[in-house]
Amino acid sequence: MSDFILCQWSAWAPGFSARDDRLMELGNSVVPECVPKMLRRRLTPLARAVFNVADQCINGEKTFPVVFSSAHGEICKSLTMLQTIQAGHELSPTAFSLSVHNAIAGLFSIAYRNTQEITVIAPGQEGIAPAFIEALGMLHEGADEVLIILYDEPIADFYPISPFNLNSPNPCVLALRIALVGDGLPLQFDRCTQSREDGEHPVQLQLFLKFLLAKERSLSLGNQEHSWIWHKK
Amino acid sequence: MENELKQLIIDALDLEDISVADIDSHAPLFNEGLGLDSIDALELGLAIRKKYNVKIEAEKEDVVKIFSSVSTLADYIKSVQG
């Protein structure tokens, strides 16, 4: 059992109809002002959304340890590169450097001059829980606050979706600033042995955002092995 | 050729809001000056190979000198093409 405070959150979730100040409406080209001009050209629309949503939770100059979590990152870039190889063309070094799972985290650390601990998780069937476990670990090791950034975009039709439950029709980015003490929404986070089938990260991310916007007090998310419960105290 | 190279740099490196007229042929391309980085160097090397069929070998050539400005880059490409 672990308790924490959700100090602040923000999200970008096209397809969500709820009206809430924390749900951002973003144009494709908007980038936070602090991002150097020469870095902007390397940001995809998803990266720009991640930057904007995170920026809402950062409030100025302060830098935090960050946990990024995404099922596939920007796997469409890898697919495009494979198709380039198949066509017999040479790969773009820039495209290659930005195709890795931690590419957005790397750009983020440069743009925000953030030299704190930054972790990027590809959680597979474990969904969004590992990001919380990692962030809570950082808090218990002494960090005052940790930023969790969960993001996914729909994967290309090229990839098989069944028998998995891992695709969401819309992209989604959610940033959460959490701490062990202070003002905000107190949450309790527990593991239990109950077997569930709530899908993988992209699906769970949308369910968690719905939970934040709803009146329900608790949310369970899990797979056939175990599940995790978030409870608003 | 210098203007052609400047356009190649703008296109290959996605330089938003920069035009051929903004690039000084004798200013440094990397760090200060235009402000390109090491990934840009690789991307530019590839673009030059595709367009001019000139391969700049990092181990053999004096790449720092060749890539130092648009002017030095143009001189090198001309010298190889003969």
Side-chain angles (χ1 to χ4, degrees), chain B residues 16-76:
Chain B
E16 296 168 5
D17 312 327
I18 289 183
S19 67
V20 168
D22 296 329
I23 303 177
D24 178 348
S25 294
H26 300 285
L29 287 174
F30 295 90
N31 301 320
E32 77 277 23
L34 195 52
L36 304 182
D37 60 23
S38 57
I39 295 172
D40 291 319
L42 296 170
E43 196 72 41
L44 190 52
L46 175 69
I48 288 168
R49 193 157 81 235
K50 276 186 182 167
K51 188 168 172 87
Y52 299 104
N53 202 22
V54 169
K55 191 171 181 182
I56 302 167
E57 304 232 21
E59 281 138 37
K60 288 190 202 155
E61 320 280 357
D62 189 356
V63 286
V64 175
K65 205 174 156 197
I66 295 168
F67 276 103
S68 64
S69 69
V70 170
S71 167
T72 57
L73 204 48
D75 287 345
Y76 179 77

Side-chain angles (χ1 to χ4, degrees), chain A residues 83-114:
Chain A
Q83 289 165 336
T84 305
I85 294 172
Q86 190 180 34
H89 300 308
E90 288 187 84
L91 287 183
S92 153
T94 312
F96 177 73
S97 78
L98 296 173
S99 69
V100 293
H101 192 70
N102 60 352
I104 290 179
L107 292 167
F108 181 86
S109 72
I110 296 168
Y112 285 87
R113 298 172 185 271
N114 187 333

Side-chain angles (χ1 to χ4, degrees), chain A residues 137-180:
Chain A
M138 289 174 173
L139 290 177
H140 284 283
E141 276 187 344
D144 292 332
E145 293 178 303
V146 175
L147 197 59
I148 301 174
I149 303 174
L150 312 161
Y151 64 94
D152 281 306
E153 63 183 355
I155 56 174
D157 293 338
F158 173 84
Y159 295 104
I161 290 171
S162 68
F164 314 104
N165 180 10
L166 50 64
N167 205 18
S168 172
N170 292 304
C172 185
V173 180
L174 172 63
L176 311 154
R177 186 159 54 82
I178 69 167
L180 292 180

Side-chain angles (χ1 to χ4, degrees), chain A residues 8-11 21-22 24 51-59:
Chain A
Q8 194 178 357
W9 66 268
S10 55
D21 289 347
R22 295 162 295 191
M24 301 177 73
F51 274 51
N52 281 303
V53 170
D55 198 75
Q56 281 293 108
C57 279
I58 289 172
N59 301 332

Side-chain angles (χ1 to χ4, degrees), chain A:
Chain A
M1 185 182 90
S2 193
D3 294 346
F4 64 94
I5 307 288
L6 175 54
C7 311
Q8 194 178 357
W9 66 268
S10 55
W12 173 67
F16 267 65
S17 54
R19 302 195 87 180
D20 191 294
D21 289 347
R22 295 162 295 191
L23 285 178
M24 301 177 73
E25 287 180 18
L26 299 172
N28 272 347
S29 57
V30 187
V31 181
E33 273 185 19
C34 68
V35 180
K37 202 174 168 190
M38 291 300 269
L39 213 54
R40 290 177 189 213
R41 64 199 164 116
R42 303 226 168 109
L43 303 184
T44 56
L46 181 64
R48 286 168 191 242
V50 167
F51 274 51
N52 281 303
V53 170
D55 198 75
Q56 281 293 108
C57 279
I58 289 172
N59 301 332
E61 296 283 309
K62 202 176 168 197
T63 59
F64 314 98
V66 191
V67 178
F68 288 87
S69 179
S70 175
H72 305 106
E74 294 178 284
I75 201 168
C76 54
K77 287 183 177 170
S78 302
L79 178 61
T80 303
M81 284 197 301
L82 289 171
Q83 289 165 336
T84 305
I85 294 172
Q86 190 180 34
H89 300 308
E90 288 187 84
L91 287 183
S92 153
T94 312
F96 177 73
S97 78
L98 296 173
S99 69
V100 293
H101 192 70
N102 60 352
I104 290 179
L107 292 167
F108 181 86
S109 72
I110 296 168
Y112 285 87
R113 298 172 185 271
N114 187 333
T115 55
Q116 307 273 326
E117 183 175 353
I118 295 181
T119 307
V120 186
I121 298 175
Q125 295 186 353
E126 292 298 324
I128 63 169
F132 286 85
I133 295 166
E134 183 71 18
L136 286 164
M138 289 174 173
L139 290 177
H140 284 283
E141 276 187 344
D144 292 332
E145 293 178 303
V146 175
L147 197 59
I148 301 174
I149 303 174
L150 312 161
Y151 64 94
D152 281 306
E153 63 183 355
I155 56 174
D157 293 338
F158 173 84
Y159 295 104
I161 290 171
S162 68
F164 314 104
N165 180 10
L166 50 64
N167 205 18
S168 172
N170 292 304
C172 185
V173 180
L174 172 63
L176 311 154
R177 186 159 54 82
I178 69 167
L180 292 180
V181 292
D183 296 331
L185 174 69
L187 284 163
Q188 189 180 317
F189 177 58
D190 291 309
R191 178 180 178 272
C192 80
T193 54
Q194 189 196 2
S195 169
R196 299 177 58 94
E197 289 188 25
D198 294 304
E200 297 191 19
H201 196 275
V203 181
Q204 291 192 7
L205 170 52
Q206 306 255 348
L207 294 171
F208 190 81
L209 180 55
K210 265 185 204 149
F211 167 64
L212 287 179
L213 290 163
K215 285 182 183 146
E216 276 75 32
R217 305 300 296 172
S218 66
L219 172 74
S220 295
L221 294 173
N223 54 34
Q224 291 181 345
E225 299 278 315
H226 55 194
S227 55
W228 299 87
I229 301 168
W230 290 260
H231 182 73
K232 294 172 188 164
K233 289 167 71 179

